[in-house]
Amino acid sequence: SKFFYLREATWDPQYRPQWKNLNILEFAKNKNRENNYVVKKLAGLGVNDTATEEDLRIAMRTIKMRFVVGLLDEMEESVR
């Protein structure tokens, strides 16, 4: 995740050493300005838009209709 990556990636210009002592809940509440980024992208919203419950439903429908999610070891069960 972005949180774990940026607190370790000293080579990245976005490296955040101050996040070393931050826990994931504090990050989610206070530092994650890209709130619901994936939902917004899947629902066709901009990054500065506010995602709603309806946008979540749209994003879930997008995943259901356009993506295959499953386990290779369980191929038959995954694609039925």
Side-chain angles (χ1 to χ4, degrees):
S1 77
K2 175 183 173 180
F3 169 67
F4 291 108
Y5 172 78
L6 288 180
R7 67 186 216 168
E8 302 293 330
T10 56
W11 58 90
D12 193 308
Q14 294 182 6
Y15 170 60
R16 300 289 189 268
Q18 65 273 26
W19 290 1
K20 284 272 189 201
N21 297 320
L22 195 66
N23 71 44
I24 192 74
L25 292 175
E26 291 172 311
F27 170 77
K29 289 180 181 176
N30 303 313
K31 304 289 184 191
N32 188 17
R33 291 186 179 90
E34 295 173 357
N35 192 19
N36 294 314
Y37 176 78
V38 175
V39 170
K40 291 176 186 180
K41 290 303 257 182
L42 290 170
L45 299 174
V47 293
N48 294 321
D49 294 331
T50 301
T52 65
E53 290 287 327
E54 180 60 23
D55 297 320
L56 175 60
R57 283 190 281 280
I58 292 168
M60 291 169 64
R61 186 173 61 235
T62 300
I63 290 171
K64 191 174 191 174
M65 295 178 70
R66 297 179 183 242
F67 294 89
V68 175
V69 178
L71 301 172
L72 189 56
D73 291 344
E74 302 290 333
M75 181 64 77
E76 189 172 318
E77 180 68 19
S78 293
V79 296
R80 68 179 173 109

